Structure formats: C-alpha cells, structure tokens
Amino acid sequence: MTDRQRNRHEMHVTVLGVLDAHADAWAAVPAAQKHRDTLEALIADTREAIRDQARSPQGATDAKGAVRDAVARDAWRLGQAIAAWAAEHDRPDVAGAVVLSRTDFDKLPDASLAEYSEIVVAEAREHLPAEGEDRTSTLSEQGVTVAFVDALDALDDQFARDLAKPREAIVDRSRATRALAVAVRAAQRLLKKKLDPTVAFLAPDVPAFADAYRAARVIVDRGTGRGSDPAPDDGAM
C-alpha cells in the first residue's frame, strides 16, 4: 500500500464516520444512503486487499524450505544405501541411477531434487523384500526399511506440491495490489462524482453536516503530519 493510498483510505473512513454521525441530515435523500453504502463496501474491499497484500510469500518459501531440507537429507541417505547395496551385488545399472557426488547432489535445483528422490524411492521399493521374503541379498541388509521409504515418498510428494506455493503467494499478492488500487480509485470517484455534489446541494439546509464533511474530505499526509486540500483529481466540494 502506498502512502497516497493509505492517506486516501483514511480519508474515506473519516468521511464514512461523518456520514453516520450526521445521518439525520441526509436521511430523507435516498441517493445519499446509496452512496454511503457504496462507500462502506469500498472501504471493506480496501481493507481486505490490504490484508491480502500484507501476506508475505516468505511463509510459503519457509515451508517449502523445511520440506526440501528433509527430502534432501533422506534422499541422500537412501541413495547412499542403494549405492552401497549395488556395489555389494555388482549392480552397476542400479548404481548408475542413484550415484551422485555430494557436491553435485547439493547443487540440485528443487525440481531435480524432487525427481532424484522419486528415483531412489522407486529403486528402494524394487529391491526391498516382499512380505515374507528372505531379507538376504535385498536392500534390507543395508538397514533400509519400508517405513523409511514410505516416509520419504510422502515427503517428496509434499515437496512437489510445495514447489508451486511461493509463486502462487506472489501472484495472490499482486492480485491484492491491483484490487487495492481499484477500490481506492472507486472510492475517490464516488466522492468526487456523487457524494460531493449531493452534500453541496444539502449544505445550505444542514451547514453543520456540510462543514464536518468538508473537514473530513481533507487528506492528511501521515508522512508529514500536514493536512492538504484534496488532490486535483479529487474534486472536493
């Protein structure tokens, strides 16, 4: 939210408060009620956009990072166990699928890490004993268990889902930024084109309300603490 938007939003809230405090001054004017309700709805839209905009994508990034660390830890461990088993049983085909240097492994981008984890899980499942099968000459001799493989499988599934979340959070924040601008501009147009003329018509009969409305329409720059007349495009009465 920019300072300009914040200042205008605060002015909109102040104007709504004046309208409600002086409802008796315009109660007999249906258009005034309509404009008041529209302003309230636009303020609500602005507040919702402010909340959505404030949601940082960092939370999604942190969540993905924690799962990535767990996948990397366990995929590396499982890959090493499979490589040791392949060397023991002269299975270069298996070793070729899983062997990476630690340096190359640490450089894997997220998508490649997810793929590597799926590969070692698939290799492990192929070389673990079936229920009731002799554990000899299977991956179990390396201490690998079905439970360990299942846990890694679940982790890399979660990791694959999490890969998209930071991008989604950024898109959501951009959408909120656009919605915020739309709501603030709409409220400005409502004041300039509809409420200001309506109050101008009523002013001679309800001067106290008109004075309070004019005062509320002054935009206060919170950065400097100075009040200023509405910007040229505001068209305050």
Side-chain angles (χ1 to χ4, degrees):
M1 188 179 199
T2 66
D3 288 343
R4 182 182 179 88
Q5 289 171 333
R6 181 177 294 104
N7 294 339
R8 288 184 168 189
H9 172 60
E10 291 178 358
M11 182 267 286
H12 300 159
V13 172
T14 302
V15 168
L16 181 62
V18 167
L19 290 171
D20 288 346
H22 294 268
D24 57 333
W26 51 264
V29 182
Q33 180 68 60
K34 178 182 177 181
H35 302 333
R36 182 261 172 217
D37 292 346
T38 302
L39 179 61
E40 182 180 45
L42 289 170
I43 289 171
D45 290 346
T46 302
R47 286 171 172 160
E48 181 178 2
I50 291 170
R51 288 193 297 270
D52 291 344
Q53 189 187 51
R55 294 191 183 106
S56 169
Q58 187 60 45
T61 302
D62 290 344
K64 185 198 76 173
V67 175
R68 188 194 196 283
D69 290 346
V71 170
R73 179 195 66 225
D74 290 348
W76 173 256
R77 291 177 63 196
L78 184 56
Q80 292 298 291
I82 294 171
W85 178 86
E88 179 70 21
H89 295 279
D90 193 22
R91 293 291 304 271
D93 56 320
V94 175
V98 302
V99 170
L100 277 178
S101 71
R102 184 72 209 205
T103 298
D104 288 341
F105 179 83
D106 289 342
K107 291 179 180 178
L108 288 176
D110 290 346
S112 297
L113 174 60
E115 181 180 359
Y116 179 82
S117 181
E118 291 174 357
I119 290 171
V120 295
V121 165
E123 290 289 345
R125 293 201 186 284
E126 184 174 348
H127 300 292
L128 279 170
E131 186 175 354
E133 184 181 352
D134 186 359
R135 293 164 56 95
T136 307
S137 299
T138 69
L139 193 55
S140 293
E141 66 186 22
Q142 296 293 328
V144 177
T145 65
V146 172
F148 182 89
V149 176
D150 286 346
L152 176 56
D153 198 8
L155 273 174
D156 65 36
D157 286 348
Q158 179 64 52
F159 182 46
R161 291 191 295 270
D162 287 350
L163 285 177
K165 288 184 178 179
R167 176 59 185 166
E168 290 170 357
I170 291 170
V171 170
D172 288 345
R173 186 175 182 182
S174 297
R175 187 181 299 115
T177 298
R178 292 192 296 272
L180 174 61
V182 168
V184 171
R185 284 197 300 267
Q188 287 296 110
R189 287 194 299 271
L190 175 70
L191 295 181
K192 177 181 177 181
K193 300 293 187 180
K194 298 179 179 180
L195 265 170
D196 286 354
T198 298
V199 174
F201 172 76
L202 295 172
D205 297 327
V206 284
F209 165 55
D211 288 344
Y213 181 86
R214 292 190 190 98
R217 284 286 276 123
V218 173
I219 296 175
V220 176
D221 185 348
R222 299 300 179 187
T224 63
R226 295 194 301 269
S228 64
D229 289 333
D233 64 335
D234 292 337
M237 50 178 285

